[in-house]
Amino acid sequence: MNGTPERPRTRWGVFAQRDFRLLWVGETVSGLGNSVTAVALPLIAVVVLDADSTAVGLITAAVWLPWLLVGLPVGAWVDRVRKRPLMIACDLVSAAALVSVPLAAWLDALTFRHMVVVALICGTAAVCFNTAYHSYIRIVLDGRNLLEGNAKLQGSEAVTQVAGPGAAGLLAQAFGAVTALVADAVTFLVSAVCLKRIRAAEPDRAPDDERDSLRRQITEGLRFVSRDRYLRPMVTWGAMINMALMGYQAVQVVFLVRTVGLNPATVGLLLAGVSTGGIAGALVATRITRRFGTARGLLLLQAVTAPFALLLPMTTAGPGLLLFATGAFAVGTGISVANIVVGSFRQSYCPPHMLGRVVATAMMINHSTIPLGSLLGGVLGDAVGYRPAMWITTAAVAPCWLILALSPMRRERDLPQTYEQAQAKDSRGREAAA
């Protein structure tokens, strides 16, 4: 049972609920800081430490590597502990780690190794936070509001991805790249305060879960995902698309600075502009799923938007920047809709006592390819050149939607709302075939 009781619908929707407003504000502010960091860290590596694209790829990979190293045990652990105190602790750890970068820079002691360690610490905190966060949404909102709530959260995340890169670029141009991380640390503190004020009560832990070993719980999560005909293709698609996306994102800042010839402020503004695709996806997700269905709408958007990635390596200075903006906008729209649909489906579909494990398993598989993609993109940039590396990595984005098209969802309008509903449908199908 959710900590927040069902309430009558109002014109404010989920914003009428105090706990959701606090969660939304905290996540929006924290998301702004994350989007600043996504641009500031590569800029620090390129501008301050004079790093090559392989080094930039290594820093990006270090942020995501903890998903591969600790993702599964964290998922089983999150099912045993209170989510909100864990999320607050993760915010505080991330803030402290980020503050250490400008302090070291001002003391003229910043090194590449320091930045990698900070990336690993923030990445590990993100694993714990995000796994708990995806389970906690279900505590704050009732099931009928999950799609709307996720759309609101995804929309605010997309807005911060517009503001964050522009702010990072302008701050880097005016005060130096390391200054942006101070603002990022403050956002984590604001997030912690908002989470602290949420009143939704978390359900008591099941005694059986406490007796089960972590290994057994990890195995249950892996088995559930690998055997489910909906979750399995979703995580496979997620792993492949993340590897391809991070491949070109690892090299895009270096490509824009050294090949296209843009300054840091222009890079930040360009990346801010193309992030509007995420806003568009959040705005149209609910309408598309109502018009075409959750399964069919997801497939349609991926088939239409993914090939636009091939415009990115065509980018040149001047009017040619529109190619980058158009391609990234279309890809961002498709990914935003997919995040909303898949996230909402997973939260309502999975049995509550297994949600943390299933989320961690899915996200571990999805994120395990991100370090590989980041390193691959960086190495390709140094080996064959930045523009050829963009061609190779974006060419991998375009066909990924076929993984979803070959799954059972191609024959359905809507994804099942619960695991029990899917099982009942499968049972009726077997009886009809017999």
Side-chain angles (χ1 to χ4, degrees), residues 200-235:
E202 298 188 42
D204 293 331
R205 292 168 288 174
D208 290 341
D209 287 343
E210 293 179 1
R211 288 196 295 266
D212 286 344
S213 67
L214 281 176
R215 179 177 297 179
R216 179 177 177 180
Q217 290 185 314
I218 290 170
T219 302
E220 287 178 350
L222 284 168
R223 186 182 297 118
F224 188 90
V225 172
S226 64
R227 294 181 178 179
D228 190 87
R229 66 193 188 102
Y230 296 100
L231 292 173
R232 185 174 60 248
M234 285 180 180
V235 298

Coordinates of all heavy atoms in Angstrom, one line a residue, residues 200-235:
A200 N 5.4 10.9 3.4 CA 4.9 9.5 3.0 C 5.6 8.4 3.8 O 6.8 8.4 3.8 CB 5.1 9.3 1.5
A201 N 4.7 7.6 4.4 CA 5.3 6.5 5.2 C 5.6 5.3 4.4 O 4.8 4.9 3.5 CB 4.3 6.1 6.3
E202 N 6.8 4.8 4.6 CA 7.2 3.6 3.8 C 6.7 2.3 4.5 O 6.6 2.2 5.7 CB 8.8 3.5 3.8 CG 9.4 4.7 3.0 CD 10.9 4.5 2.8 OE1 11.3 3.4 2.5 OE2 11.6 5.5 3.0
P203 N 6.2 1.3 3.7 CA 5.7 0.1 4.3 C 6.8 -0.7 5.0 O 8.0 -0.5 4.8 CB 5.2 -0.7 3.1 CG 6.0 -0.1 1.9 CD 6.3 1.3 2.2
D204 N 6.3 -1.5 6.0 CA 7.3 -2.3 6.8 C 7.9 -3.3 5.9 O 7.2 -3.8 4.9 CB 6.5 -3.0 7.9 CG 6.1 -2.0 9.0 OD1 6.7 -0.9 9.1 OD2 5.1 -2.3 9.6
R205 N 9.1 -3.7 6.2 CA 9.8 -4.8 5.4 C 9.2 -6.1 5.7 O 8.8 -6.4 6.9 CB 11.3 -4.7 5.7 CG 12.0 -3.5 5.2 CD 13.4 -3.4 5.7 NE 13.3 -3.1 7.1 CZ 14.4 -3.0 7.9 NH1 15.6 -3.3 7.5 NH2 14.3 -2.7 9.2
A206 N 9.2 -7.0 4.7 CA 8.6 -8.3 4.9 C 9.7 -9.2 5.7 O 10.9 -9.1 5.3 CB 8.3 -9.0 3.6
P207 N 9.3 -9.9 6.7 CA 10.3 -10.7 7.5 C 11.0 -11.7 6.6 O 12.2 -12.0 6.8 CB 9.4 -11.4 8.5 CG 8.2 -10.6 8.6 CD 7.9 -10.0 7.3
D208 N 10.3 -12.3 5.6 CA 10.9 -13.3 4.7 C 12.1 -12.7 3.9 O 13.1 -13.3 3.7 CB 9.9 -13.9 3.7 CG 8.9 -14.8 4.4 OD1 9.2 -15.2 5.6 OD2 7.8 -15.0 3.9
D209 N 11.9 -11.4 3.5 CA 13.0 -10.7 2.8 C 14.2 -10.5 3.6 O 15.3 -10.6 3.1 CB 12.5 -9.3 2.2 CG 11.5 -9.5 1.1 OD1 11.4 -10.6 0.5 OD2 10.8 -8.5 0.8
E210 N 14.0 -10.3 4.9 CA 15.1 -10.1 5.8 C 15.9 -11.4 6.0 O 17.1 -11.4 6.2 CB 14.6 -9.6 7.2 CG 14.0 -8.2 7.1 CD 13.5 -7.7 8.5 OE1 13.7 -8.5 9.4 OE2 13.0 -6.6 8.5
R211 N 15.2 -12.5 5.9 CA 15.9 -13.8 6.1 C 16.7 -14.2 4.9 O 17.7 -14.9 4.9 CB 14.9 -14.9 6.6 CG 14.4 -14.7 8.0 CD 13.8 -16.0 8.5 NE 12.6 -16.3 7.7 CZ 11.4 -16.0 8.0 NH1 11.2 -15.3 9.1 NH2 10.3 -16.3 7.3
D212 N 16.1 -13.9 3.7 CA 16.8 -14.3 2.5 C 18.2 -13.7 2.3 O 18.4 -12.5 2.7 CB 15.9 -13.9 1.3 CG 14.7 -14.7 1.1 OD1 14.7 -15.8 1.7 OD2 13.8 -14.3 0.4
S213 N 19.1 -14.4 1.8 CA 20.4 -13.9 1.5 C 20.4 -12.9 0.4 O 19.5 -13.0 -0.5 CB 21.4 -15.0 1.3 OG 21.1 -15.7 0.0
L214 N 21.4 -12.0 0.3 CA 21.5 -11.1 -0.8 C 21.7 -11.9 -2.1 O 21.1 -11.5 -3.1 CB 22.7 -10.2 -0.6 CG 22.5 -9.0 0.4 CD1 23.8 -8.2 0.5 CD2 21.4 -8.1 -0.2
R215 N 22.5 -13.0 -2.1 CA 22.7 -13.7 -3.3 C 21.4 -14.3 -3.8 O 21.1 -14.3 -5.0 CB 23.7 -14.9 -3.0 CG 23.9 -15.8 -4.2 CD 25.0 -16.8 -3.9 NE 26.3 -16.2 -3.6 CZ 27.3 -16.9 -3.2 NH1 27.3 -18.3 -3.2 NH2 28.5 -16.3 -2.9
R216 N 20.5 -14.8 -2.9 CA 19.3 -15.4 -3.4 C 18.4 -14.3 -4.0 O 17.7 -14.5 -5.0 CB 18.5 -16.1 -2.2 CG 17.2 -16.6 -2.6 CD 16.6 -17.4 -1.5 NE 15.2 -17.9 -1.8 CZ 14.5 -18.6 -1.0 NH1 14.9 -18.9 0.2 NH2 13.3 -19.0 -1.4
Q217 N 18.3 -13.1 -3.3 CA 17.5 -12.0 -3.8 C 18.0 -11.5 -5.2 O 17.2 -11.1 -6.0 CB 17.5 -10.9 -2.8 CG 16.7 -11.3 -1.5 CD 16.5 -10.1 -0.6 OE1 17.5 -9.4 -0.3 NE2 15.3 -9.9 -0.1
I218 N 19.3 -11.4 -5.3 CA 19.9 -11.0 -6.6 C 19.5 -12.0 -7.7 O 19.1 -11.6 -8.8 CB 21.4 -10.9 -6.5 CG1 21.8 -9.7 -5.6 CG2 22.1 -10.8 -7.9 CD1 23.3 -9.7 -5.3
T219 N 19.6 -13.3 -7.4 CA 19.2 -14.3 -8.3 C 17.8 -14.2 -8.7 O 17.4 -14.4 -9.9 CB 19.5 -15.7 -7.8 OG1 20.9 -15.8 -7.4 CG2 19.2 -16.8 -8.8
E220 N 16.9 -13.9 -7.8 CA 15.5 -13.8 -8.1 C 15.2 -12.6 -9.0 O 14.4 -12.7 -9.9 CB 14.7 -13.6 -6.8 CG 14.6 -14.8 -5.9 CD 13.8 -14.5 -4.6 OE1 13.6 -13.4 -4.3 OE2 13.5 -15.5 -3.9
G221 N 15.9 -11.5 -8.8 CA 15.7 -10.4 -9.7 C 16.2 -10.7 -11.1 O 15.5 -10.3 -12.1
L222 N 17.4 -11.3 -11.2 CA 17.9 -11.7 -12.5 C 16.9 -12.6 -13.2 O 16.7 -12.5 -14.5 CB 19.3 -12.3 -12.4 CG 20.4 -11.4 -12.1 CD1 21.7 -12.2 -11.7 CD2 20.7 -10.5 -13.4
R223 N 16.4 -13.6 -12.5 CA 15.5 -14.6 -13.1 C 14.2 -14.0 -13.6 O 13.7 -14.3 -14.7 CB 15.2 -15.7 -12.1 CG 14.4 -16.9 -12.7 CD 14.1 -17.9 -11.6 NE 15.3 -18.5 -11.1 CZ 15.7 -18.5 -9.9 NH1 15.0 -17.8 -9.0 NH2 16.8 -19.0 -9.5
F224 N 13.7 -13.1 -12.8 CA 12.4 -12.4 -13.1 C 12.6 -11.6 -14.4 O 11.7 -11.7 -15.3 CB 12.0 -11.5 -12.0 CG 10.6 -10.9 -12.2 CD1 9.5 -11.6 -11.7 CD2 10.5 -9.7 -12.8 CE1 8.2 -11.0 -11.8 CE2 9.2 -9.1 -13.0 CZ 8.1 -9.8 -12.5
V225 N 13.7 -10.9 -14.5 CA 13.9 -10.0 -15.7 C 14.2 -10.9 -17.0 O 13.6 -10.7 -18.1 CB 15.0 -9.0 -15.5 CG1 15.4 -8.3 -16.8 CG2 14.6 -8.0 -14.5
S226 N 15.0 -11.9 -16.8 CA 15.5 -12.7 -17.9 C 14.3 -13.6 -18.5 O 14.3 -13.9 -19.7 CB 16.7 -13.6 -17.5 OG 16.3 -14.5 -16.5
R227 N 13.4 -13.9 -17.7 CA 12.3 -14.8 -18.1 C 11.0 -14.1 -18.6 O 10.2 -14.7 -19.2 CB 11.9 -15.8 -17.0 CG 13.0 -16.8 -16.6 CD 12.5 -17.7 -15.5 NE 13.6 -18.7 -15.2 CZ 13.4 -19.7 -14.3 NH1 12.3 -19.7 -13.6 NH2 14.4 -20.5 -14.1
D228 N 11.0 -12.8 -18.3 CA 9.8 -12.0 -18.6 C 9.8 -11.6 -20.1 O 10.8 -11.0 -20.5 CB 9.6 -10.8 -17.7 CG 8.3 -10.1 -17.8 OD1 7.3 -10.6 -17.2 OD2 8.2 -9.2 -18.7
R229 N 8.8 -11.8 -20.8 CA 8.8 -11.5 -22.3 C 8.7 -10.0 -22.6 O 8.9 -9.6 -23.7 CB 7.7 -12.3 -23.0 CG 6.3 -11.9 -22.6 CD 5.3 -13.0 -23.2 NE 3.9 -12.6 -23.0 CZ 3.2 -12.1 -24.1 NH1 3.8 -12.0 -25.3 NH2 2.0 -11.8 -23.9
Y230 N 8.4 -9.2 -21.6 CA 8.3 -7.8 -21.8 C 9.6 -7.1 -21.3 O 10.2 -6.3 -22.0 CB 7.1 -7.2 -21.1 CG 5.8 -7.6 -21.6 CD1 5.1 -8.6 -21.0 CD2 5.3 -7.0 -22.8 CE1 3.9 -9.0 -21.5 CE2 4.1 -7.5 -23.3 CZ 3.4 -8.5 -22.7 OH 2.2 -8.9 -23.2
L231 N 10.0 -7.5 -20.1 CA 11.2 -6.8 -19.5 C 12.5 -7.2 -20.3 O 13.4 -6.4 -20.4 CB 11.4 -7.2 -18.1 CG 10.3 -6.7 -17.1 CD1 10.4 -7.3 -15.7 CD2 10.4 -5.1 -17.1
R232 N 12.6 -8.5 -20.7 CA 13.8 -8.9 -21.4 C 14.2 -8.1 -22.6 O 15.3 -7.6 -22.8 CB 13.7 -10.4 -21.7 CG 15.0 -11.0 -22.3 CD 14.9 -12.5 -22.5 NE 13.8 -12.8 -23.4 CZ 12.7 -13.5 -23.0 NH1 12.5 -13.8 -21.8 NH2 11.8 -13.8 -23.9
P233 N 13.3 -7.9 -23.6 CA 13.6 -7.0 -24.8 C 13.8 -5.6 -24.4 O 14.6 -4.9 -25.0 CB 12.4 -7.2 -25.7 CG 11.3 -7.7 -24.9 CD 11.9 -8.5 -23.8
M234 N 13.1 -5.1 -23.4 CA 13.3 -3.7 -22.9 C 14.7 -3.5 -22.4 O 15.4 -2.5 -22.8 CB 12.3 -3.3 -21.9 CG 10.9 -3.1 -22.4 SD 9.8 -2.7 -21.0 CE 8.2 -2.5 -21.9
V235 N 15.2 -4.4 -21.6 CA 16.6 -4.2 -21.1 C 17.6 -4.4 -22.1 O 18.7 -3.8 -22.1 CB 16.9 -5.0 -19.8 CG1 15.9 -4.7 -18.7 CG2 16.8 -6.5 -20.1

